Amino acid sequence: MTTFDARPHAACGSRPPGWLASVLVEGQAAERDAVFPFDPRTALEPACVATARHFVDRTLGAWGAAGLSFDTQLVVSELVTNAMRHGGGARALRLLLRHGDELVCVVSDHSRTIPVTTAPDVYSEYGRGLRLVDALCSAWGWLTPGGPCKLVWAVIAAT
């Protein structure tokens, strides 16, 4: 089984799970919530991806969820890279942990353009990021809460 086939049940679209919608749209508090705002001067530089990975590592370590760090770093790397390439730069990275069983990564950017999964050929240098997110996550999608921005979210099951 390839990585791309690992989780064919992952859902993509604009509807997050109910509890996540309550947090993102209605502003309800999450059990564990950490936000990293990107510096607008460096939000388009490749180094911000490494900075995001370090934030994931430190945050999950502090939460006692270091076992989720590797997959979460991969997902965050892809979401932040997409924000840089297609969203005018990353605005913020938010990590939410719910009851220790679901971890959510949320990356906001400066565009309302929705993410599109492509089918790259063997020689493509790009186009596999959202397939990787789909393979590692139980669900992912996006919201456009208003204004010139969007939130791309991904749920990682803590099993």
Side-chain angles (χ1 to χ4, degrees):
M1 180 183 306
T2 67
T3 302
F4 297 135
D5 298 326
R7 301 227 176 126
H9 61 280
C12 59
S14 59
R15 290 195 168 186
W19 72 269
L20 181 57
S22 297
V23 172
L24 296 178
V25 177
E26 299 167 15
Q28 290 185 1
E31 182 179 334
R32 294 196 181 178
D33 193 341
V35 178
F36 177 79
F38 289 94
D39 184 334
R41 295 169 296 177
T42 60
L44 290 169
E45 295 180 9
C48 75
V49 177
T51 303
R53 286 193 305 264
H54 291 298
F55 173 74
V56 166
D57 196 41
R58 285 190 311 269
T59 302
L60 295 183
W63 288 350
L68 296 173
S69 190
F70 184 76
D71 286 355
T72 305
Q73 286 181 7
L74 286 174
V75 169
V76 164
S77 293
E78 295 303 334
L79 297 182
V80 171
T81 299
N82 282 351
M84 288 172 34
R85 289 191 168 189
H86 309 292
R91 294 169 58 123
L93 165 61
R94 185 175 181 186
L95 298 176
L96 302 135
L97 186 62
R98 177 179 181 243
H99 306 300
D101 63 351
E102 287 182 316
L103 174 68
V104 178
C105 311
V106 183
V107 174
S108 58
D109 65 29
H110 299 275
S111 171
R112 292 180 61 85
T113 304
I114 64 170
V116 177
T117 304
T118 60
D121 64 37
V122 174
Y123 301 106
S124 295
E125 291 184 36
Y126 307 105
R128 292 175 181 84
L130 291 177
R131 289 178 173 272
L132 180 63
V133 170
D134 192 52
L136 293 173
C137 298
S138 58
W140 72 274
W142 62 91
L143 293 170
T144 51
C149 67
K150 76 173 163 296
L151 305 173
V152 180
W153 54 269
V155 179
I156 299 171
T159 56

